[in-house]
Amino acid sequence: MNRRSFVKALSIGTAGLMLPSFPLYAKTYLSVEQAQNLIWGDLVMEPVTVELTKEQMRSIAAASDVRVRYNTIKAWKSAEGHWYILDQVIGKHENIDLAVGIDNQGEVKGIEVLTYRETYGDEIMNPKWRAQFHGRDNSEILRLDKQIKNISGATLSCRHVTDGINRLTHTWSQVLSQL
Amino acid sequence: MAEISRCKPLLGTYVELSLCSKILTDSQLLELSQLGFVEIEKIHQLMSFHETESDLSRINRQASSQVVSITSDIHKVLQQALMLSEQTNGLFDISIAPLLMEQSLLPVMENVSIDSEANWQDIVLNESGVRFKKPLAIDLGGIAKGYAVDKAYEAILETSKDPDIKILINAGGDLRFSQWQQQPLLIPTPFFENPDIELLMQNSAVATSGDYLLEGKHAILSKQSMVLENRPLSVSVFAENCMIADALTKWVFLSPKPLELLQIYKAKAFIIKHDKNNEWLN
C-alpha cells in the first residue's frame, strides 16, 4: 500500500459504511531521519533515486530467490559509498516500511521497521475474498483502529524482512556498489 | 517528556521497544533502546536453533559426547526449563527438537544421531556445564524469547537514570511492561466467529500462544502425544516475567489440569476457545 492509499485508509467515509470493514493496525516507529541518524550518525548523505532495469530486477530476483516488486529504489548515499535505503516488504498481509543501512563493503549496518501495518480476520487474508472488491483499493475495506496499542497474539514470523534484506544485499552487489 | 518507539526484526519476529520518560532526553532514550536491542540480539545468537554457530547448536552437536561449558544465560534458561519439566512430569520438555525437525518446524541437524527414547531426564546440568546422557537435541523456542525480553527489560531498567521510566517490549506477542496497571491488551483471533478480544494487563508480563498460524500443523507439541478435546485457539498467560509467561502458555495448552502450576508461579491464564466459551484460569 502506498502512502496515498494509506492516508485514504485513514479517512474512509461513506464507503466504510457500505462495505464490511476490517481492522488495520498501523504503528509508526522512528522517522526516516531518526533511523538514518541511528544507523549513520551525522554522516552526510545525498538522496539518490535508482531505477532498476527489467534485466537487473530479474537478475537480483534470481540471485536472492526473492521477487523484486518495485523498480525504483529510494536511497541516500555518502561520499564513502555507504547507503541508506527505504524499502517495503509484505508482512503477513500488508506492507511494512523498512530502513536499511548497507556499508561500502556490502555489510548490513542496521535495520529499522518504520511503519508496521497488519490486518486480522480470516476472510481478509484470503485473496479470493479480496478479489470481490476488484477495482477498489484494498485499503477501502480496512479501517484503522487507533485505540489499541498492544497486541499479544501468536508470533508473526519476520521471514519476509529476512528475504527483503537478502534482496537488498544482492541489489547492492549487483547495482548500488557500481554507482 | 521524551518518548521513542522502535521495532526491529529479531528472534524470528518483530520486536517492538517503547520508552517514555519525564526527565530523560530523546537521545538518552535512544541509547537505552540500543542497549535493549543488543541484549535481545545476544540472546538470539546464543539460543537460536536456526543459527549453526549459536551456543545452543554447539550444545546439540557436542553434549552427547562431552560436558559443554555454557554461559550464565543459557544456564538460567536450562535450569528453568528442567524445573518446568519436573513440575509438568515431562509435558514441557526441551528435548522436543527431533519431533519439531520431523514436522519441518525446525531445520534438520546434519550428522546428529538421536535416541528417540531420550528425554529431559537425560539432560545433566551442573556448574561445569551441560551434558546429555543419551543422544538428544534441545530447542529453547518455548522459553528463550521470553527470556530475551526479560533481559532487555532489566538492562534498560538498571541503566536508566530515571527509575520511573516507562518500558514496553513486545517480541511478537511476548510482552513486558513497566507500568502495566490498567493497560489495555488486544488478543487477535483469526476467525470471525471469535472477534478480537480486549483485556486489561494482569501482571508485568504476558505471552500468547496460538494454534492457528501454521496451516494445519500444530506448532505446540508434546512428546507425550496428548490429543486434547476442544483444543484452545489461543492461550495468554500473565506472569511476573516473560520467560515464565512464555513457557506456561504451552503448559496451559497441553495440560488437562493446568491450574496448580499457574498458582505456583502466581500466573493467570486467559483461554480463547473455538466454541467461544473463553475462560480465565487463576
Side-chain angles (χ1 to χ4, degrees), chain A residues 36-61:
Chain A
Q36 183 177 354
N37 198 264
L38 200 64
I39 296 171
W40 289 120
D42 295 333
L43 192 67
V44 177
M45 299 187 112
E46 295 294 328
V48 189
T49 303
V50 182
E51 301 279 344
L52 298 175
T53 64
K54 283 216 165 66
E55 182 59 35
Q56 286 171 329
M57 289 168 79
R58 264 197 299 271
S59 171
I60 292 163

Side-chain angles (χ1 to χ4, degrees), chain B residues 17 62 72-73 103 162 182 187:
Chain B
L17 202 165
Q62 299 173 354
S72 64
D73 286 317
Q103 302 267 327
D162 175 8
Q182 296 302 311
I187 303 174

Side-chain angles (χ1 to χ4, degrees), chain A residues 9-96:
Chain A
L10 287 168
S11 59
I12 295 169
T14 50
L17 296 173
M18 288 153 67
L19 290 164
S21 81
F22 300 90
L24 166 71
Y25 302 101
K27 295 184 85 167
T28 54
Y29 300 97
L30 297 185
S31 68
V32 171
E33 293 75 22
Q34 280 175 316
Q36 183 177 354
N37 198 264
L38 200 64
I39 296 171
W40 289 120
D42 295 333
L43 192 67
V44 177
M45 299 187 112
E46 295 294 328
V48 189
T49 303
V50 182
E51 301 279 344
L52 298 175
T53 64
K54 283 216 165 66
E55 182 59 35
Q56 286 171 329
M57 289 168 79
R58 264 197 299 271
S59 171
I60 292 163
S64 62
D65 204 17
V66 181
R67 193 163 71 95
V68 180
R69 288 197 293 158
Y70 307 110
N71 66 338
T72 307
I73 300 170
K74 191 161 195 244
W76 287 257
K77 188 189 169 202
S78 77
E80 301 89 335
H82 301 319
W83 289 84
Y84 177 65
I85 304 166
L86 295 185
D87 194 59
Q88 276 197 331
V89 298
I90 298 270
K92 194 147 180 286
H93 314 101
E94 309 299 332
N95 276 335
I96 289 174

Side-chain angles (χ1 to χ4, degrees), chain A residues 116-129:
Chain A
Y116 182 91
R117 305 178 191 90
E118 208 46 88
T119 44
Y120 294 94
D122 246 11
E123 277 82 353
I124 201 155
M125 298 168 185
N126 179 345
K128 278 187 193 156
W129 186 87

Side-chain angles (χ1 to χ4, degrees), chain B residues 100-281:
Chain B
L100 298 175
M101 286 189 261
E102 251 170 54
Q103 302 267 327
S104 311
L105 292 166
L106 282 179
V108 175
M109 287 170 61
E110 307 287 340
N111 307 320
V112 173
S113 64
I114 301 289
D115 180 343
S116 57
E117 299 290 303
N119 65 33
W120 65 278
Q121 285 166 309
D122 300 307
I123 303 168
V124 182
L125 180 70
N126 57 37
E127 291 309 306
S128 51
V130 62
R131 168 103 161 92
F132 301 156
K133 288 194 277 185
K134 292 178 185 167
L136 57 86
I138 58 176
D139 172 46
L140 299 175
I143 187 166
K145 189 149 58 85
Y147 183 74
V149 171
D150 291 333
K151 281 287 285 190
Y153 177 90
E154 282 153 21
I156 292 169
L157 203 58
E158 277 165 25
T159 314
S160 168
K161 292 193 179 84
D162 175 8
D164 295 322
I165 186 172
K166 278 190 191 167
I167 307 169
L168 164 63
I169 305 174
N170 186 355
D174 282 20
L175 260 97
R176 183 94 189 248
F177 265 114
S178 52
Q179 279 96 327
W180 53 271
Q181 289 85 353
Q182 296 302 311
Q183 287 292 327
L185 177 78
L186 187 85
I187 303 174
T189 58
F191 304 115
F192 281 127
E193 313 84 80
N194 289 57
D196 295 347
I197 286 170
E198 199 182 332
L199 303 171
L200 285 180
M201 282 297 284
Q202 306 287 315
N203 206 330
S204 172
V206 63
T208 299
S209 288
D211 201 23
Y212 39 76
L213 282 179
L214 292 167
E215 291 167 4
K217 271 189 210 160
H218 293 305
I220 299 163
L221 290 170
S222 151
K223 293 213 299 190
Q224 297 175 3
S225 67
M226 181 177 294
V227 180
L228 287 179
E229 301 268 332
N230 195 12
R231 213 175 154 104
L233 258 175
S234 84
V235 171
S236 302
V237 172
F238 297 86
E240 61 189 24
N241 70 52
C242 238
M243 173 166 67
I244 294 296
D246 195 4
L248 288 182
T249 56
K250 285 83 182 177
W251 162 246
V252 174
F253 234 102
L254 296 168
S255 166
K257 287 181 185 164
L259 200 55
E260 195 185 328
L261 196 59
L262 285 174
Q263 284 164 345
I264 289 175
Y265 286 103
K266 298 188 180 73
K268 277 186 189 183
F270 185 76
I271 302 174
I272 298 179
K273 293 182 172 172
H274 287 273
D275 63 10
K276 288 195 251 183
N277 288 319
N278 304 334
E279 63 172 328
W280 280 102
L281 286 181

